[in-house]
Each structure stands twice: as structure tokens, then as C-alpha cells.
Amino acid sequence: MANTKFIKSEFFFEEDVRESVAEVPVDKHQPWPENEKLKVVGKEIPRIDGYDKTSGTALYTFDINLPHMAHAKILRSVWPHARIKSIDTTQAENLPGVLAVITHKNIPEIKWFEDSFLFDTKIRYEGEEIAGIAAETEEIAEKALKLIKIEVEELDFTVDPGQAMKETAPKIHEGGNIVGGNPFTYERGNFEEGIKNADAIIEETYSTQVVVHNPTEPHCSVANWDGDKLTVWDSTQAIFTVRGVVSRALNIPENNVRVIKKYMGGGFGSKLAGGKYTVIAALLAKKTGRPVRLTLDRREMNLAVGNRPDSVQSLKLGAKKDGTLTAMSHYAYGSSGAYQSGAGCSWPFRTVYQCPNVKVEEYTVYINAGPGRPFRAPGHVQGTFAMDSAIDLLAGRINMDPLEFRLKNYAEKDQVYNIPYTSKKLREAYEAGAKAIGWEKRNKQPGVGTGRYKTGIGMGTQIWWGGGGPPAYVTLKLNRDYSVEVLAGSQDLGTGTYTFVAQVASEVLEIPMERISVILGDTGVVPYGPPSGGSVTSPSISPAVRDAAEQMKQKLMKAAAAVLSLKENDLVYKNGTVSSKSDPSKSIFLSDIMGKINEPVLVTTGAREANPEGYMIQTFGAQFADVEVDTLTGKVRVKKIVAAHDIGRVLNRTLLENQFHGGIIQGIGFALMEERIIDGNTGKVLTTNLHDYKLPLITDMPEIEVIIVSEGDPMISNTGVKGIGEPAHIPTAAAIANAIFNATGVQIKSTPMTPDKVLMALSQNS
Amino acid sequence: MKSKDISRRKFIKNLGGGVIGAGVVLSHKPLKAEDQPAKDENKQNLARLNLTVNGKKVSLDIEPQTTLAQMLREKLKLTGTKVVCNHGECGACTVLLDGRPVYSCHMLALDAEGKEVITIEGLMEGEKLQPIQEAFVKHDGLQCGFCTPGQIMAAQGILNKNPRPDRLEIMEGMSGNICRCAAYPKILESAIAAAEKAE
Amino acid sequence: MKNFKYIPAESLEKASQKKDDSVLMAGGTDLLGMIKDDLLTPETVINLKSLKELKNIRYNAGKGLEIGALATITELAENSDVQKRFPVLVQTCKEIASPQLRNVGTVGGNLCQRPRCWYYRGEFNCLRKGGDTCFAVDGENKFHCVVGGGPCYIVHPSDLAVSLLALDASLEIFSNGKLKTVPIDDFFILPEQNETKENILEPGEIVTKIIVPEIPAGSKCAFIKFKERASWDFAVVSLGILLNTNGSTIKNGRIVFGGVAPRPWIDTALNTKLTGAATDEKNLKSLADSALLEAEPMSKNDYKIILVRNLLKQALIDLSKN
């Protein structure tokens, strides 16, 4: 690696601020000009893995089939809360074809969440792991699951966070049901004072549901031991996290664990954590002496591998007649599931709009249900829905256009840390989005339309970090035949990482895309990079790729100088050829340089530079929804979404659009149809298949227009890229809710805004 | 309108029977004695299946409960066909059966007896993508790619029926395929492009 | 899935002599789900699809339409006679499940499919599975019935049942070696008759044919299905309507509701009011508002009554226009 130094760098991942000292390059590269002047970056380039994925040859973990491989299944609790008294696995073990059965009785204690173990004798949710079975076939393993006899003491349970917060609720952990024992609180200014100064005050409670990631590829692992060395193929967003989890669980050094993920069928946050299934597969592989594949089924995925926590949010907002926000308070609680996760959702509330007096109190609550995991912008989706619904209500109170209201309270700097942004083009996003949707066509008075179908237009504002940061490394290998391999410690979830990595390398080295291959997702091969979450991948990895490629270019120039006996500053690099500026007849192609210096492969390692100190990096955006409400049925049809965002530099317009489409349509799913439903009387999940858990289909998609108002942000990194995966998804539900409000004059305060809710709200209003 | 109170008598068949709640329902079902397989149960139960897969005649012995998707993936190692829901609810396993799209996860392989099955692998001409596949690459009709083989087979099924389908026909024809990444706009664009190219 | 033996049916007789641990399979789209979810644990699956004669769709002018029970939903929708003379059936078919399932699922299977209730399909020992309790009553009952329930509160999942009942169809059933014909209205039963099944079929009885009489001249038909998701979804509520209007009054008609009851539902009081009713908008509205007066909604499904009335109102107005 080139010259580096260690400095403090802040890094936002999902909801966490991670302050670290990071190794970063000393030399910064000149910022790139706008995309128009670039050759490869920013262009509409088909993804480089398109062939694999359309031909059926792309190999996912789900498809890995090793010689002599055994198949494993997990026995999961049918009880929401219980204590295991006894387990008898004799019958299961005797079933022909069964190779191994593991329970808490025959494996070492492996610590897992908080006060629990891999196989715990206390069951805290339906779907919790009790035993693992390896067999010749998956069917035999499934059959054997039913032969395990378990005696339990059933415990009272609670599956509603509001109820779980009460003193009388059954305790899921010794310390009570409030995660951390206390709420998260935040205060600036004087809320009470601010409310006193308000001309209009609204006070409303909004609620959002639990939704489940449901990526198409199941969570699955294939584990294979060679002596002490374990190789794990895992459908994961975070190879290094999985490696750490497995190594700690099995008490073996990290170099003995190799985690591989080439292709994966989506994650959306549910594959950011190391899974019990991976460790169970490894334990069974050890025990059977055979490779083991463990694949979860759809039911298990809806019970046990994460969800977006629900929320109940009580908001009180005050504004002056001229629209100035004077005070905002946010009291909220949401369910963590049976183990610790984050249900906090107040970040947008604290920071999107300028307001001097803000008060927040929020609780994350244990319930007897599957633990939450980050799901595409944790906290922000539910928080923005409530916040922007309330903003529209308040704007209506003072007869102000909701967009004008937002502009009136535009935050010029970060409201929490009181520091400037590296860049903020939200105003431009508001303007461009409003123009594209035809904001002036909205009902001046909500609900004034007549007839069966009422239409309306609404908007929501998006904020999210997405700036990435160190540590993130890339190794670049230049072959003498003018071809390149780029190795990055990242994973492509379907987001296009493979493609943009190649684009950045191609841009710098001026080597065609076809001659660049990208290797990701293999801890045995790639340098370290962050988990693929938090929209940090492109902002962290792309600058490291550029750094590695620029170093390679410099290396070639240096070598050429030596080979040609010229001064470095007299040389120029173009399309793989280094030539003299003063004497263009003197030039040498990189293959020849490498021949002269006897190097078949040149290697450089690039790193992500530090984020600037004293600045806040955020992505911004606004989405506008045009909806039609069928007043006879309560069915909402989203006709159009305009998404206008500031996300730094666009790396690939095609992939970017696709990401936005996905985020927006998932937003429609959250807004209108998806919901995990638990039966309160039994504590059991009812929505465990893809019919009862409704995901959007092609027939649910609206027209979508994506507008990017930003160019590269040079303060962040050498590529000026911010992330887009989460920003695309955050404001959709809020925009739809406000459009429904604008169409009908009725605000639906709870998601999903299903026809029954809308219809009942309309009928109560009429 | 107010919900009427429904008397409990009406839904509890047997008043002495039990209480509503976890206790009565939740137990790991013990397998009935007759469900416990004899040692060579599987062998006894093998059935012969003859069909054509991707243009090749295939003849094999399978357990009758084997789904078409299992047969393709596990016996023939055609792993391009994916299984996502295993309940006929998402379309990732879509293959063509005598030219029409079906969910291979949700039908018995034996029900394909004598029929012709085409999978994503069967669309290929050697290493060459077919127009429908090329359209998905060119128009980026995918993200993670896991549902893609099913999407492509559903699209091909539409084209088999009508080489020049309109937008609505395509939407209807693709409405049984979930893409969780929700690449739908570009999936539609890809299918439309393929339809426009079709002769 | 559980291991079973698979036998192609040799004849109706043989298939009907099945043992208790055998099940009959038509398209299999529902049956396989039942087996996968351990709701059925058959030793033998008898495949009826080998009985090719049960696949025919025949139209006889004056007599009407005969649909072989094993005709697929797609075959029904693509049949030219059906398209010409029974467009309401085509309309219904398009609303069923997804294209892939319509290519496999059969008309007979659609009528005989088991309920989608999440308690029934889940790990709940509910009434319909021989247990003691209907969990929907004080549970998650948004999709459950508002009328005709008790002690079990499912809704019948079939779309075709609703249209076919509106068209006054009959079913031909192979029973004890003979064929009998039963009006479709008599085919479906309520839980109060038997909470473990949805129709009159006894073990070994097989629906072989659906007979649809000619649509009376001058009558208009419609099938309206309301679902939460734009496609591949079961009905929240649905309507099958046959209406014969005579200028300003309804000569006769029939209205059937789906998604509101454990069987396709005929609101007798409402249907009685049809004959002679004036077709002015005001009257049609009050007619629609008199639907489901006997409904007893549960905690989370009273919206279904408004939904039915609203959709009926609109349908009656649309059908009364020329």
C-alpha cells in the first residue's frame, strides 16, 4: 500500500456512529470531474454478472452441492416462551439415514445473544433453535425432527410491545423487558417553551407494523472441514462478520475459517449477522465428518432471521402561523423481539427539519417473537412515515402548502451535532421532484375530489448517512496481458458491486470492462471491507478501487520512467500506454513495461480515505407520490412515484435506477400490504408463507421517475459517492400516506394502509 | 356498525374440551407409528418417470413425492431452477411444461410423465444466451438474480403463447413471479423488449 | 414431503374405491400444499389426471356448458365457446391465483380446495382439523367470515364457486358406482352441518363434471373480486351476479357473495327483493345496503360488510345500464 497514516474517522453504519482510528492514504487523488467528462463511470453499463444470472449458471450457496454432502435441518420451538425440561433424541437418531443430532446436551456451551446460548434451555420465541440434525437427505432430516421428544414447561408470554412494557408482563430476560433498562432520550432547547410559542399544535399517534425481509434465497450455509480448516459457503451480506462469529463460537482461529459468498439472493439486512444456522452446519459437519448443507425454509425465514421492528409513535408538534417549527416531541416504543435489536426510529425526527426545541424518548421492548435485524434503513422508514404524516397535518392546520412548510424549516446544518454537511442538495431535490410530479395539481383542500376514485399527491423527505468510510481495502492485480483482477472485501447482494468495482478500475486504468474481473466475498482471498449494509458499500469501496488503480497507474509510470530512462513528470498514461510528453515517439505499452521489469502480475492495495472531520455526511432526497384511492373498497393504487435525491456521484445510471425501483416498490409493500401478524392468544406467527405475507408483485408497481440532483461530493472521497440502497426506500411510505391524505382528507395513521383500514376510516369520516 | 358479540358457545364445540391458548395446540407432533419408515421404504416406493427435459429424453426412478423442482435440481443437477417458497406462491421455480409456465416446486415430477420440460438451462444454445435472456441482461431486468430464471421462463411462456403480447398481457403473465428486490420496472422493460424483437 | 405411493387412476370406479389413507389428486395445487404442511398424510395419492375423459369442455346450444372437472382453469378460460357465451367464467378464471397455477389447477379442484384460513393451515389444532376451538373468533379474523359461521369461521376460497352458483350450475358426482347430479347450491355446506369439510362429498365420491345452463337471454353477468394485492391473492370479498333487467325494473337475478361465508353465500332476503326492483340508482343503492343484514362480524372484519355493499351498489348500477 502507498503512504498511509492513522487518523480519527467517523463512520455511520446502519444506526451506529462508529468512531475509529483508521489507516488511510496520505495522498489524496484529485476529485473526478462531473460524470459527463468520465468515460465509464456514471454510464448505463449492463451488470457484468448478467450472463451468469440469466443463464442459470450463477452458483448461489443454495446451489452448492459437494461430494458426499449431508443435509441438515433445525428443530425450532413451537412455543413462544417455555423452559425445556427434557429432550429425547433417541428415536430421531435411530431413523435410518440420520447421521447426527445435536442439542444443548451434547455440544459445548456456545454463548449467543446476551444471556443465551446457541441451544438454550429457555425458549424465548416461536422458531428458536432447539436442535440440529444431519441426515443423508433433507427429507430424512425433516422426518427426524418430528421424532425428537421434548417436554417443556410453558411460560406466560407477551407478543405486544405495549403490553410487554408493563410491570406485570411476563419477563423475557431477568432484567425486564425494556432493552437496556432505560429509554433512549434526547433533548435540545426547551420543548415546553417551544410549544408555548406555537400558534398551531398537533398531537397524534402513528403506528407501523413488523415487516420481514423475505429475501428470495433462503438463509443457508454449507460447511466443510479439512482437518482443522473450515470452509463455509454462506448466503451473507458480511463475510468477515460470519467468519468472526464462527471462529468465536467454535473457538478456532480466524485463519482456520474461510467464508465464501459469490452470489446471493438478496438480504436487505437480514443477512448482516452471523447466523446460528451457520454454526450448526459447522458443528454437524464436524460431527459427521462430511460436508453439510443447511437451508432454512420460508417458514423459518418468517420466524427466526430478523424483521423490521414495529413502532408506536406519539408526536407533538408546534408551529407559528408563518410555518416556523417551534417544538417537536417524539415518544415511541417498538419491539425488539426476544433478543436485543434496535427499534429506535427518531433520527429523522431529530434532524430532518430545523427546530430548536426537540424532545425524544423511545423504548425498545423485548417480546416473545423473532429478534429484529436491520431492514433497509432501520428506524428511518417508520420514523419518516410518522414524522412526515404529522408535518402535513400541521401544515394543513396553518393552511400552508406542505412543501412550502418543509422549505420554511429547511435545516442548513446538522441539527443534532450542529455541524455543516459536506453537501446538501435537498432544496434542489424538492424543486425537481415537485416539478416532475406536478405538485401544483394536488388538491389544495385535501379530499375535495368527487367520484369513486379520488386522487392525491403527497411527499416525504429522506435523510440517511450512506457516506461510508474506512476501513475498506481493495487489491488490484494487473496481468501482463492487459487484464485486471480486482479483489474487494465486499459482497454483491444484487446491488451491482461487481459492476461498479470494474467500472472504477476501468475508468482509471483505461482498460476495457471486458478485461476486468472482480472477486468479492471470499475471506480467504480478499482484503477487508465492510459488511454490505448501511448503504456504505459504494461510498467505501469505490474510492479504495480508485486508490488501488491510481497507484497502479503510478507504478507503471515509475517503471516506464526507469525502462525508458525518462523523468516521471515527463510521462503521461493513456489506454495502457505510457509516453513522453516532450517526445511522443517514446512510448511503451504496459505489457512491455511488465516484461522489462519481469513482473507477470503487478499488485497494489488501495484504501478508503478518512471522512472529513467536523462535517456531517448525509444523503438527502424527497419522494412524491401520486395515488388513487378507490373509495368503494379502500384500495390504494400508487400511480406514480418521483424520487429526487442527493446521493453524490452516480456510478451507473442503470443499476442506480434499478436500486431505486426496488427501494420504492418495497416501500409500497411496507406502506400498503406487508405485515407479520402474530396471534395474540397463542403467540404464534400466522404469516409464514408468501401468500399470507404479501409481497408486491409486478402488478403493484407504479410508474417511477428517478431524478438525481447531485454530482460527486469531493469532500467525502476521491469518487464522491454516497450510498443509495436505503435512501431509495425511506420516504416512500410517508409520501404515499400524505398522498392518501391529500386524496381523501383522511389520514391513515397506521401501516400497512390496507383496504380495510382505509375503508373504515373513510366510512367513519363520511 | 358494531360487531356483535359472538357467544363463545358458538365456537367452542366441546365446552369441556379445552381452553383457548397455547396449551392445547402446541406440541411437536409425535409421528404415528406407521409413519416411521421401514429401512427400505424408499426403495419399495420408487416409481419410474419418463419425460423430456431440455430436449433430452430422461428416464429415472424417483420417490413419488419428489416435486418436479427437486427432480430437476437434485437428480438432474439443473440448479438454475430455484426454490424460494416451495408452495407455489412466488414463481422462482417456473419452468415450461409442454410450453406453458408452471411452478415446478408445486407439482409432482410424476405429473410430468411423457411431457416436455424446459428449464432456464434449456433455453441456452450451448453457451449462447437466447433473445429473452439477452433482453434481461441488456435492460437489467434483475438484481440479485435468484428469481431471474423463473422470471425469464414466465416471460418465455408468454411469448410461446403470443409472440407479440401487449404490455397488459405481459403484466398478467408475469404476475405470478415475485421479485423481492422489486426490479419489476426493468423486468417489464426486458420482457417488452424481447416481445418487440420476437418474430 | 411425506413419502407416499402414487397411482394413476385406472377408472372412476377404481379411484372411488380408495382406502381411507388414500387421497385423490386433480391438479394437485392445493393438495400438495396440504401434504407439505402435514395437514394430510396419505399413504397413497391417486392421480385422477389419467382419466382423460374428465378434461372435456363441451357446449351444446340450448343445453349449456359441460366442464370436465379435470379441465384446467386455463383450458376453461381459453375455450372459444366459453369466451363467446360465458365471458363471466373467463373473467373469473383470470382472477384465480396466478398464470402458472391456472395452467395446472383444475375446475373441479378449484371447487373442492380447502380453506386458506391461517389457523387451519398453521400449527393450530382447530375445529376444522378435529380440535375444539376456532382460533379466529377472538384472534386474527380480518379475512374470516361475517355470515354463516359457527362453530368454525372460515371463508370458502373458491372464485369459480361464486360465479357458478350465480349461473345456477350443477355438479355431476360419481358416487357408489353411479353418477348423480347435484345443484351447486346443495354441494356446499356450512360448518354447523359439519365443521371438518366444506361440501357434501363423502369419501370416494368424485366430482366429474360441472353443468352450466345457458345464460337466460337478456341477462347480464359479472364476477367482481376484491383482493388486497393486485394479483395472486384470494378474495377478500367477491360477487357473482346474474341480472335480467327490463328497462326500469329487474326481471330476475341472482347475487352470490364470496369471501364472506364458509360457502359461496346467497343472501336470501336480498335475492328475494331483486325481482321487480326498480333500477334507479337510489333504489339500487338501498337494495345494496340491505345486503348481509344478518351478518355478525367479528372484531376485525366488519369492513367486509361495507365492502360488499359498496361493490354491489356499483355492480348493480353498472349492470342496469345498457
Side-chain angles (χ1 to χ4, degrees):
Chain A
M1 205 151 76
N3 220 353
T4 61
K5 62 183 173 184
F6 287 84
I7 67 159
K8 242 171 67 179
S9 178
E10 266 181 2
F11 180 71
F12 284 87
F13 186 82
E14 297 298 340
E15 292 189 293
D16 305 334
V17 189
R18 295 182 184 176
E19 203 181 79
S20 65
V21 176
E23 184 179 17
V24 297
V26 171
D27 305 318
K28 287 202 176 175
H29 308 290
Q30 280 296 310
W32 270 336
E34 59 269 37
N35 278 349
E36 251 175 47
K37 295 186 178 146
L38 299 178
K39 296 186 205 78
V40 190
V41 163
K43 304 297 175 284
E44 298 189 3
I45 291 172
R47 66 183 72 220
I48 60 175
D49 43 350
Y51 176 93
D52 297 15
K53 287 175 175 175
T54 56
S55 61
T57 55
L59 208 60
Y60 296 78
T61 306
F62 186 69
D63 302 322
I64 302 276
N65 204 339
L66 300 178
H68 206 43
M69 187 173 80
H71 300 261
K73 289 304 287 182
I74 294 172
L75 179 69
R76 294 178 182 277
S77 169
V78 297
W79 306 276
H81 205 188
R83 203 177 296 280
I84 295 176
K85 294 204 292 204
S86 70
I87 297 187
D88 179 1
T89 58
T90 326
Q91 263 193 303
E93 280 160 30
N94 290 339
L95 185 72
V98 169
L99 302 167
V101 181
I102 53 172
T103 67
H104 72 274
K105 295 199 295 191
N106 64 354
I107 60 157
E109 252 182 12
I110 295 172
K111 277 198 158 302
W112 209 266
F113 303 117
E114 298 148 79
D115 50 352
S116 75
F117 300 97
L118 179 75
F119 294 130
D120 205 333
T121 52
K122 167 119 190 248
I123 299 296
R124 296 179 180 85
Y125 70 94
E126 184 202 15
E128 188 152 16
E129 295 81 352
I130 296 176
I133 294 185
E136 293 291 348
T137 69
E138 203 169 47
E139 284 201 328
I140 296 173
E142 271 166 11
K143 219 173 261 184
L145 291 181
K146 295 175 189 162
L147 297 174
I148 295 181
K149 295 215 168 72
I150 303 166
E151 221 187 316
V152 300
E153 175 199 350
E154 287 186 43
L155 304 172
D156 287 342
F157 59 86
T158 175
V159 290
D160 173 77
Q163 191 195 52
M165 284 170 80
K166 293 184 183 151
E167 272 302 310
T168 50
K171 278 195 175 56
I172 296 159
H173 296 276
E174 285 305 314
N177 292 341
I178 307 287
V179 174
N182 290 301
F184 166 84
T185 57
Y186 168 83
E187 199 164 359
R188 70 169 177 259
N190 184 331
F191 171 76
E192 300 305 333
E193 203 58 36
I195 280 290
K196 269 189 217 150
N197 294 331
D199 297 319
I201 296 165
I202 61 134
E203 212 169 344
E204 287 292 344
T205 297
Y206 298 89
S207 66
T208 64
Q209 78 283 29
V210 170
V211 290
V212 182
H213 311 71
N214 268 312
T216 48
E217 186 188 19
H219 292 63
C220 54
S221 295
V222 176
N224 184 39
W225 292 87
D226 294 297
D228 295 341
K229 305 259 184 200
L230 171 66
T231 306
V232 173
W233 287 261
D234 205 62
S235 183
T236 179
Q237 296 173 240
I239 47 169
F240 288 101
T241 306
V242 172
R243 187 179 71 161
V245 166
V246 170
S247 119
R248 279 191 299 279
L250 303 178
N251 197 20
I252 54 175
E254 290 192 339
N255 71 313
N256 278 2
V257 184
R258 179 176 175 189
V259 178
I260 301 173
K261 184 240 71 139
K262 186 171 185 196
Y263 289 119
M264 73 182 295
F268 315 110
S270 71
K271 294 173 181 169
L272 276 171
K276 282 189 180 177
Y277 52 91
T278 308
V279 173
I280 293 169
L283 287 167
L284 287 168
K286 189 85 187 173
K287 197 151 186 193
T288 56
R290 291 169 60 170
V292 166
R293 178 162 88 202
L294 201 166
T295 306
L296 271 57
D297 65 21
R298 192 52 48 183
R299 180 181 162 73
E300 294 176 279
M301 289 175 70
N302 278 282
L303 292 177
V305 285
N307 55 69
R308 171 182 295 155
D310 51 9
S311 74
V312 174
Q313 305 175 54
S314 296
L315 275 58
K316 190 170 177 182
L317 273 66
K320 287 194 171 298
K321 276 192 204 121
D322 69 353
T324 310
L325 272 169
T326 60
M328 301 168 83
S329 79
H330 184 262
Y331 168 90
Y333 60 87
S335 62
S336 179
Y339 298 100
Q340 194 170 332
S341 71
C345 57
S346 67
W347 178 260
F349 193 83
R350 281 178 268 154
T351 195
V352 167
Y353 301 113
Q354 179 175 298
C355 181
N357 307 304
V358 176
K359 199 170 79 176
V360 166
E361 179 179 338
E362 53 186 353
Y363 297 81
T364 299
V365 185
Y366 290 117
I367 62 167
N368 291 109
R373 281 188 188 174
F375 186 167
R376 207 165 190 165
H380 280 51
V381 178
Q382 54 271 49
T384 303
F385 163 74
M387 172 188 72
D388 269 347
S389 292
I391 289 286
D392 269 35
L393 210 56
L394 184 56
R397 276 303 146 78
I398 55 166
N399 291 317
M400 195 166 182
D401 177 298
L403 175 54
E404 201 187 322
F405 187 94
R406 287 173 171 84
L407 285 165
K408 177 83 189 172
N409 296 290
Y410 195 84
E412 296 292 351
K413 54 182 176 175
D414 181 86
Q415 296 291 294
V416 174
Y417 295 93
N418 199 27
I419 50 175
Y421 296 114
T422 57
S423 61
K424 177 170 181 175
K425 295 196 159 58
L426 181 59
R427 204 184 295 279
E428 290 86 335
Y430 280 150
E431 279 163 14
K435 191 169 168 224
I437 201 78
W439 183 251
E440 70 288 349
K441 287 184 306 195
R442 66 193 295 280
N443 302 314
K444 298 293 172 286
Q445 193 61 43
V448 289
T450 53
R452 173 174 179 176
Y453 298 99
K454 290 188 165 195
T455 58
I457 292 174
M459 66 174 295
T461 302
Q462 170 261 317
I463 198 162
W464 179 259
W465 299 282
Y473 304 99
V474 161
T475 301
L476 190 142
K477 300 200 270 184
L478 175 66
N479 301 316
R480 200 187 285 181
D481 71 345
Y482 185 62
S483 69
V484 172
E485 283 150 309
V486 190
L487 286 69
S490 185
Q491 26 297 292
D492 190 329
L493 322 182
T495 43
T497 313
Y498 282 114
T499 308
F500 84 68
V501 166
Q503 278 180 276
V504 173
S506 171
E507 181 73 44
V508 177
L509 293 171
E510 301 171 57
I511 292 175
M513 288 283 284
E514 310 80 72
R515 296 190 74 84
I516 297 175
S517 52
V518 180
I519 294 150
L520 308 172
D522 183 344
T523 59
V525 173
V526 299
Y528 179 79
S532 295
S535 301
V536 305
T537 302
S538 59
S540 302
I541 298 291
S542 69
V545 180
R546 186 175 169 209
D547 184 40
E550 297 282 3
Q551 285 183 49
M552 185 60 75
K553 207 155 97 176
Q554 281 155 18
K555 197 186 279 264
L556 288 169
M557 307 264 276
K558 261 188 208 163
V563 170
L564 297 175
S565 305
L566 289 168
K567 287 217 167 71
E568 251 183 272
N569 58 13
D570 179 39
L571 296 178
V572 57
Y573 177 97
K574 191 155 182 57
N575 299 331
T577 300
V578 181
S579 15
S580 159
K581 282 187 251 180
S582 52
D583 180 0
S585 71
K586 286 184 182 158
S587 75
I588 184 165
F589 186 56
L590 66 84
S591 301
D592 301 320
I593 302 172
M594 290 172 74
K596 292 273 188 205
I597 61 174
N598 197 22
E599 291 271 11
V601 183
L602 285 175
V603 182
T604 56
T605 296
R608 167 64 154 86
E609 61 262 55
N611 287 325
E613 266 187 87
Y615 286 88
M616 177 58 87
I617 307 174
Q618 295 277 322
T619 58
F620 300 95
Q623 288 184 10
F624 295 77
D626 183 353
V627 309
E628 175 188 276
V629 181
D630 183 346
T631 57
L632 292 189
T633 63
K635 172 97 180 150
V636 176
R637 187 170 73 87
V638 182
K639 295 196 301 181
K640 182 172 181 175
I641 298 276
V642 172
H645 293 254
D646 163 8
I647 46 77
R649 181 186 306 278
V650 176
L651 284 170
N652 183 322
R653 176 74 201 186
T654 305
L655 302 186
L656 170 126
E657 266 179 19
N658 210 333
Q659 275 287 295
F660 268 97
H661 293 164
I664 288 163
I665 295 169
Q666 282 186 359
I668 291 175
F670 173 78
L672 300 179
M673 60 185 84
E674 293 178 36
E675 182 173 17
R676 182 196 72 183
I677 297 172
I678 298 187
D679 179 59
N681 293 321
T682 57
K684 289 175 74 67
V685 178
L686 298 174
T687 47
T688 56
N689 59 49
L690 294 186
H691 163 256
D692 291 322
Y693 189 89
K694 293 186 202 306
L695 296 172
L697 285 162
I698 197 166
T699 35
D700 298 296
M701 75 175 184
E703 182 193 344
I704 298 173
E705 186 176 342
V706 180
I707 301 167
I708 301 305
V709 297
S710 53
E711 275 285 348
D713 178 345
M715 284 190 76
I716 310 177
S717 71
N718 65 45
T719 58
V721 170
K722 301 182 195 174
I724 58 170
E726 283 153 312
H729 180 56
I730 291 168
T732 315
I736 292 170
N738 283 332
I740 295 172
F741 180 38
N742 185 245
T744 63
V746 180
Q747 198 171 58
I748 309 297
K749 299 191 178 78
S750 127
T751 54
M753 297 173 277
T754 42
D756 55 318
K757 287 184 196 166
V758 177
L759 189 61
M760 292 312 279
L762 291 177
S763 76
Q764 275 150 18
N765 196 49
S766 64
Chain B
M1 181 181 349
K2 204 171 164 278
S3 298
K4 288 178 191 161
D5 191 81
I6 295 167
S7 74
R8 288 177 91 78
R9 181 175 40 81
K10 249 185 131 182
F11 66 90
I12 299 182
K13 186 175 74 170
N14 174 351
L15 278 172
V19 291
I20 295 173
V24 285
V25 274
L26 311 176
S27 60
H28 281 290
K29 277 185 225 162
L31 210 66
K32 284 177 281 176
E34 62 268 26
D35 286 348
Q36 289 175 34
K39 256 192 174 160
D40 50 356
E41 178 214 48
N42 295 346
K43 284 208 179 69
Q44 282 176 354
N45 253 348
L46 290 183
R48 190 73 176 171
L49 168 66
N50 302 288
L51 77 170
T52 307
V53 178
N54 297 335
K56 288 201 189 83
K57 290 227 178 301
V58 174
S59 201
L60 69 172
D61 293 323
I62 56 165
E63 295 171 32
Q65 77 275 18
T66 309
T67 63
L68 182 56
Q70 273 176 315
M71 189 275 284
L72 293 168
R73 287 181 55 85
E74 289 163 24
K75 307 282 178 203
L76 305 184
K77 309 291 180 205
L78 294 169
T79 54
T81 300
K82 307 299 184 201
V83 176
V84 166
C85 72
N86 199 30
H87 267 71
E89 292 163 348
C90 79
C93 65
T94 301
V95 300
L96 299 179
L97 185 71
D98 286 346
R100 290 191 186 257
V102 298
Y103 293 145
S104 65
C105 83
H106 212 54
M107 67 176 283
L108 295 179
L110 289 172
D111 273 353
E113 173 71 28
K115 300 192 173 178
E116 188 188 21
V117 174
I118 307 279
T119 70
I120 189 78
E121 291 92 347
L123 284 187
M124 305 284 291
E125 246 179 65
E127 292 291 307
K128 200 177 164 315
L129 299 178
Q130 288 309 287
I132 183 74
Q133 295 165 303
E134 280 174 347
F136 271 74
V137 175
K138 188 175 170 205
H139 297 272
D140 205 36
L142 56 98
Q143 285 182 34
C144 77
F146 205 71
C147 74
T148 309
Q151 301 279 359
I152 291 175
M153 297 317 286
Q156 186 63 46
I158 301 167
L159 297 179
N160 286 354
K161 203 162 143 185
N162 176 6
R164 301 304 298 259
D166 59 24
R167 188 188 156 93
L168 194 69
E169 254 176 291
I170 295 174
M171 295 269 277
E172 271 179 20
M174 307 290 291
S175 67
N177 290 70
I178 287 174
C179 172
R180 182 45 157 163
C181 301
Y184 295 123
K186 290 191 185 290
I187 289 171
L188 180 66
E189 199 182 309
S190 307
I192 288 173
E196 281 166 357
K197 270 200 164 174
E199 281 140 38
Chain C
M1 239 187 306
K2 179 198 177 296
N3 185 260
F4 48 72
K5 286 199 197 79
Y6 174 92
I7 307 173
E10 286 172 39
S11 65
L12 273 174
E13 287 78 14
K14 283 236 166 127
S16 71
Q17 287 157 12
K18 71 175 197 70
K19 294 202 210 111
D20 284 352
D21 57 9
S22 303
V23 293
L24 301 172
M25 179 171 79
T29 54
D30 188 40
L31 186 82
L32 289 190
M34 299 280 294
I35 298 174
K36 285 176 184 173
D37 292 344
D38 285 340
L39 291 166
L40 283 174
T41 50
E43 284 303 303
T44 308
V45 170
I46 301 168
N47 182 15
L48 295 173
K49 282 189 288 292
S50 48
L51 306 173
K52 302 283 181 214
E53 66 276 18
L54 298 189
K55 275 183 87 71
N56 297 332
I57 300 173
R58 239 181 262 117
Y59 171 72
N60 290 311
K63 283 187 176 169
L65 184 70
E66 288 185 3
I67 309 163
L70 289 182
T72 65
I73 307 294
T74 303
E75 284 161 354
L76 180 64
E78 290 181 355
N79 182 283
S80 58
D81 287 320
V82 177
Q83 290 180 345
K84 214 181 295 168
R85 299 174 194 278
F86 299 90
V88 68
L89 291 180
V90 178
Q91 209 179 340
T92 311
C93 289
K94 282 191 171 172
E95 292 281 354
I96 296 171
S98 69
Q100 288 95 326
L101 287 172
R102 297 197 287 270
N103 284 338
V104 176
T106 64
V107 174
N110 186 271
L111 297 175
C112 296
Q113 64 181 306
R114 306 304 311 271
R116 298 304 302 191
C117 166
W118 41 32
Y119 294 103
Y120 174 67
R121 298 270 168 173
E123 289 171 338
F124 298 86
N125 189 19
C126 75
L127 277 175
R128 196 153 289 268
K129 288 188 284 199
D132 304 322
T133 307
C134 174
F135 291 84
V137 172
D138 57 356
E140 293 297 331
N141 50 36
K142 176 181 163 183
F143 295 115
H144 288 78
C145 71
V146 293
V147 69
C152 156
Y153 288 83
I154 57 147
V155 293
H156 199 276
S158 169
D159 292 327
L160 274 171
V162 174
S163 310
L164 288 170
L165 181 52
L167 296 178
D168 204 16
S170 305
L171 304 185
E172 185 189 84
I173 296 169
F174 185 83
S175 170
N176 292 322
K178 286 180 295 209
L179 291 169
K180 63 176 181 185
T181 304
V182 175
I184 194 167
D185 195 15
D186 297 341
F187 180 69
F188 295 107
I189 61 171
L190 286 174
E192 61 191 28
Q193 287 160 267
N194 184 338
E195 73 273 10
T196 61
K197 58 185 202 172
E198 298 82 46
N199 56 53
I200 58 169
L201 287 183
E202 294 294 333
E205 290 190 323
I206 301 168
V207 175
T208 51
K209 203 185 275 179
I210 295 92
I211 304 149
V212 191
E214 290 276 22
I215 295 176
S219 295
K220 291 185 194 170
C221 303
F223 175 75
I224 294 148
K225 175 172 171 178
F226 181 72
K227 43 201 192 305
E228 276 202 352
R229 189 162 64 172
S231 45
W232 195 173
D233 210 352
F234 286 84
V236 175
V237 304
S238 67
L239 277 66
I241 306 180
L242 179 92
L243 206 65
N244 191 352
T245 57
N246 175 12
S248 57
T249 52
I250 296 172
K251 263 165 56 182
N252 50 54
R254 185 192 275 244
I255 297 169
V256 182
F257 299 137
V260 300
R263 52 157 288 163
W265 188 253
I266 294 187
D267 181 334
T268 319
L270 172 73
N271 276 281
T272 313
K273 287 182 212 153
L274 281 179
T275 306
T279 58
D280 61 287
E281 209 170 301
K282 195 174 160 228
N283 191 53
L284 292 178
K285 276 185 181 169
S286 77
L287 198 61
D289 280 333
S290 74
L292 295 179
L293 287 178
E294 60 194 311
E296 289 188 329
M298 293 185 280
S299 53
K300 297 182 176 178
N301 66 3
D302 48 355
Y303 74 98
K304 281 194 175 186
I305 297 167
I306 304 176
L307 193 51
V308 162
R309 289 176 186 167
N310 283 352
L311 287 173
L312 179 61
K313 220 172 283 179
Q314 191 63 46
L316 288 175
I317 291 168
D318 291 347
L319 286 175
S320 302
K321 280 184 199 147
N322 284 315

